[in-house]
Amino acid sequence: MIHWSLIVSALGIIIAGLGGYCGWSLFPTMIHKKVEQSVIIADGSEQYKRFVNLPQPLNFKVYIFNVTNPDMIQHGAIPIVEEIGPYVYKQYRQKKVKHFSRDGSKITYVQNVHFDFDEDASAPYRQSDHIVALNMHMNSVLQIGENDPGLALLLVHLNANLKAVFNDPRSMFVTTSVREYLFDGVRFCINPQGIAKAICNQIKESGSKTIREQSDGSLAFSFFGHKNGSGHEVYEVHTGKGDAMKVLEIQKLDDSHNLQVWLNSSNEGETSVCNQINGTDASSYPPFRQRGDSMYIFSADICRSVQLFYQSDIQYQGIPGFRYSIGENFINDIGPEHDNECFCVDKLANVIKRKNGCLYAGALDLTTCLDAPVILTLPHMLGASNEYRKMIRGLKPDAKKHQTFVDVQSLTGTPLQGGKRVQFNMFLKSINRITITENLTTVLMPAIWVEEGIQLNGEMVKFFKKKLINTLKTLDIVHWVGLCGGLGIAAISLIYYIYQRGRQEDEAPVK
């Protein structure tokens, strides 16, 4: 007869086999299918509700470069700036869904954005704080007039009417409040007459997003006033149906697969790499991330896709994930030697740039993106060429504070924390026929830098742990208990059997 210990040992091996099968095959397959089901955007699903209304607002932090020596700059001195902030806003996003595609794999929507000032997170800073900042709208109008031959006559009249158009400016800087500079608007063209009125009408008709007409007919410039409210861009994104790895990837923007912002190839009909739309809008990412991979986000604010690269494994409040950050190819590697000269729009005259028209490393000309001569860098010109940084005093670049990064839960693609960090600048320079600029030294002048991101709050952390992490831990325990317990039972039973056989042989009578 088979000894009972051998039966128990065999059962132990079976249990261990089941534990291994569950842990390495059954459970991963179940989890994979469950995650796929949970990330697909289907009408009425929980994911659809989270898609339409983000479960928590994004953090929107603004840092302003306050100018401490405006009068000296007017006489040719190098600018000295002081960072103030952050001014923290809660950014609420709500999508107005227009329709699904027939097969349910695409969804089209318009996104509304609303900003609420967070007094507690911003303290001691307040929106009423007064700042001395670059007069972006005046500088923009002057440079656009300089760069467009058709507007050369405008500059002649503009110099004589600068007082009427821009409220009698004494320098290229404006004293205003944070609230006006960012959202409400710095007013100009207040009750202009004659030629000044014609100039203001031309400014209004230029269609700049950052300049809006007020109820009294005046104009007002603000950085983000146009973003606060109903959106205009129409997005089409993948729902994940049929391929969960494509969920939320942007398929079209304003009914086009590509941008028409940057330079295109000389070959007719061929879209340049600069105009390609890749990735998600950074509110979420495709699931099943792998170490060493990369992913894209698309930012309409800077009219381009940005590649993020895996950096390391992380833990966020007990939730495991991967950290991604931008690479050197973001704005450092631009030009014909990097096969992306399409970013070299070369729209600005008499500025600090290379002979081929490209800006030096670390700067990107957004003129064709924003219809204004705005230059993009990383905060505090992190990594930018010394040609730009040496002309400004007060910059303190720090990779930990100023690099774009995001921590992502690897299984679901959910962002845990992180943010897009970019800085907006504008060249300050002497402009022919404009008296107020005649003594200026050419510099790349910082205006503001922003961080747009998320930190998963306590409520969402609890929800995430309950729905996913605790389940994974339970299945992991079942896997290892079954595997190790089964092997343990099998080993002990086998040892017991060998021990009993040995005793029986010792006790057997000698013939």
Side-chain angles (χ1 to χ4, degrees):
M1 291 179 63
I2 299 175
H3 195 274
W4 64 267
S5 59
L6 289 179
I7 297 174
V8 172
S9 181
L11 287 173
I13 292 172
I14 292 171
I15 292 171
L18 287 173
Y21 168 72
C22 289
W24 290 316
S25 179
L26 180 62
F27 292 165
T29 301
M30 290 169 51
I31 293 166
H32 195 282
K33 288 182 178 179
K34 191 69 176 177
V35 169
E36 274 192 345
Q37 293 170 359
S38 69
V39 301
I40 292 172
I41 302 168
D43 196 2
S45 67
E46 288 298 316
Q47 178 68 349
Y48 176 81
K49 295 174 184 176
R50 289 191 291 268
F51 170 77
V52 172
N53 288 295
L54 290 182
Q56 71 175 82
L58 300 181
N59 298 321
F60 190 79
K61 300 178 181 179
V62 184
Y63 299 80
I64 298 172
F65 289 101
N66 191 54
V67 182
T68 63
N69 64 334
D71 295 332
M72 295 174 67
I73 296 171
Q74 284 299 127
H75 292 90
I78 289 178
I80 302 173
V81 296
E82 177 189 20
E83 177 190 283
I84 57 173
Y87 294 89
V88 184
Y89 297 82
K90 292 179 180 178
Q91 185 191 101
Y92 296 89
R93 292 185 181 183
Q94 183 181 45
K95 298 178 179 69
K96 291 181 66 176
V97 175
K98 298 172 75 71
H99 58 81
F100 282 88
S101 62
R102 287 186 178 181
D103 64 357
S105 66
K106 313 287 192 307
I107 184 170
T108 303
Y109 66 91
V110 174
Q111 182 164 258
N112 298 335
V113 178
H114 178 69
F115 295 87
D116 274 347
F117 183 64
D118 190 331
E119 292 185 5
D120 293 335
S122 301
Y125 301 107
R126 298 173 298 176
Q127 287 194 102
S128 58
D129 292 343
H130 277 80
I131 56 171
V132 178
L134 179 63
N135 193 329
M136 296 286 285
H137 52 289
M138 184 170 75
N139 196 33
S140 179
V141 169
L142 294 177
Q143 290 195 34
I144 289 173
E146 178 190 40
N147 296 327
D148 188 340
L151 299 176
L153 189 61
L154 172 67
L155 289 181
V156 178
H157 295 298
L158 190 53
N159 188 57
N161 290 272
L162 215 60
K163 178 178 179 179
V165 175
F166 294 109
N167 308 337
D168 194 14
R170 302 296 180 185
S171 74
M172 294 299 293
F173 303 92
V174 61
T175 300
T176 184
S177 71
V178 171
R179 185 186 184 109
E180 288 175 342
Y181 200 56
L182 299 183
F183 287 99
D184 287 355
V186 180
R187 292 175 67 221
F188 65 103
C189 283
I190 301 172
N191 195 28
Q193 302 296 323
I195 294 178
K197 186 173 183 179
I199 293 171
C200 289
N201 285 336
Q202 194 161 0
I203 294 172
K204 181 173 63 177
E205 290 169 5
S206 69
S208 173
K209 295 177 182 178
T210 58
I211 294 175
R212 292 181 298 171
E213 186 175 8
Q214 305 298 290
S215 58
D216 62 358
S218 66
L219 301 179
F221 160 85
S222 67
F223 262 101
F224 306 115
H226 66 284
K227 289 169 61 73
N228 199 13
S230 299
H232 300 287
E233 294 96 350
V234 179
Y235 288 86
E236 180 185 275
V237 303
H238 206 290
T239 63
K241 184 178 180 180
D243 188 352
M245 292 296 291
K246 290 184 177 180
V247 67
L248 291 177
E249 284 189 0
I250 299 170
Q251 307 295 302
K252 289 183 182 179
L253 179 61
D254 291 333
D255 205 33
S256 176
H257 291 286
N258 303 294
L259 300 175
Q260 298 298 324
V261 172
W262 309 101
L263 302 175
N264 267 326
S265 170
S266 55
N267 297 327
E268 189 174 344
E270 187 175 331
T271 301
S272 68
V273 64
C274 305
N275 278 319
Q276 292 175 3
I277 299 174
N278 299 312
T280 74
D281 68 351
S283 60
S284 192
Y285 303 91
F288 313 124
R289 312 308 312 163
Q290 299 292 324
R291 290 179 183 84
D293 66 2
S294 64
M295 58 190 184
Y296 282 90
I297 57 174
F298 174 78
S299 175
D301 294 333
I302 62 173
C303 302
R304 65 163 294 183
S305 303
V306 180
Q307 191 173 15
L308 300 174
F309 298 90
Y310 168 85
Q311 296 296 316
S312 62
D313 286 28
I314 58 95
Q315 285 276 337
Y316 179 78
Q317 297 188 32
I319 302 174
F322 296 156
R323 171 159 295 182
Y324 293 83
S325 69
I326 59 172
E328 295 231 343
N329 65 340
F330 174 41
I331 49 178
N332 280 2
D333 297 343
I334 290 177
E337 66 273 30
H338 302 291
D339 295 324
N340 59 4
E341 63 268 35
C342 42
F343 283 126
C344 302
V345 294
D346 199 13
K347 289 288 185 179
L348 305 176
N350 304 317
V351 299
I352 305 169
K353 60 184 177 181
R354 294 154 62 187
K355 291 181 179 179
N356 61 7
C358 298
L359 297 181
Y360 285 100
L364 178 66
D365 185 355
L366 296 181
T367 300
T368 53
C369 170
L370 303 178
D371 295 320
V374 175
I375 307 299
L376 178 78
T377 66
L378 293 182
H380 286 255
M381 299 189 190
L382 174 68
S385 173
N386 199 41
E387 275 83 0
Y388 302 131
R389 287 190 291 137
K390 70 181 180 182
M391 302 302 291
I392 301 292
R393 299 286 183 268
L395 298 179
K396 299 175 182 177
D398 183 336
K400 289 184 178 179
K401 294 180 181 178
H402 303 141
Q403 188 74 283
T404 290
F405 80 97
V406 63
D407 293 341
V408 177
Q409 205 292 313
S410 53
L411 193 60
T412 63
T414 303
L416 304 173
Q417 69 170 342
K420 296 183 293 183
R421 295 164 173 166
V422 293
Q423 180 171 306
F424 298 102
N425 316 264
M426 191 176 280
F427 279 108
L428 191 64
K429 60 175 185 168
S430 175
I431 296 175
N432 190 31
R433 300 178 181 175
I434 304 298
T435 306
I436 200 172
T437 71
E438 61 186 3
N439 294 319
L440 294 174
T441 298
T442 302
V443 299
L444 183 58
M445 188 73 200
I448 66 171
W449 74 270
V450 299
E451 177 182 331
E452 184 180 67
I454 191 172
Q455 277 191 315
L456 214 62
N457 60 29
E459 183 180 343
M460 286 302 300
V461 168
K462 288 180 182 177
F463 171 81
F464 207 88
K465 285 183 176 179
K466 181 180 178 181
K467 288 288 186 178
L468 179 67
I469 304 302
N470 292 344
T471 301
L472 292 177
K473 286 181 178 178
T474 300
L475 295 178
D476 205 38
I477 290 170
V478 171
H479 159 55
W480 288 110
V481 166
L483 179 63
C484 298
L487 289 174
I489 291 171
I492 292 170
S493 298
L494 190 59
I495 291 170
Y496 180 78
Y497 171 75
I498 294 171
Y499 171 74
Q500 288 297 330
R501 280 292 300 267
R503 281 189 60 189
Q504 289 174 5
E505 289 176 358
D506 288 344
E507 293 174 357
V510 180
K511 296 182 179 179

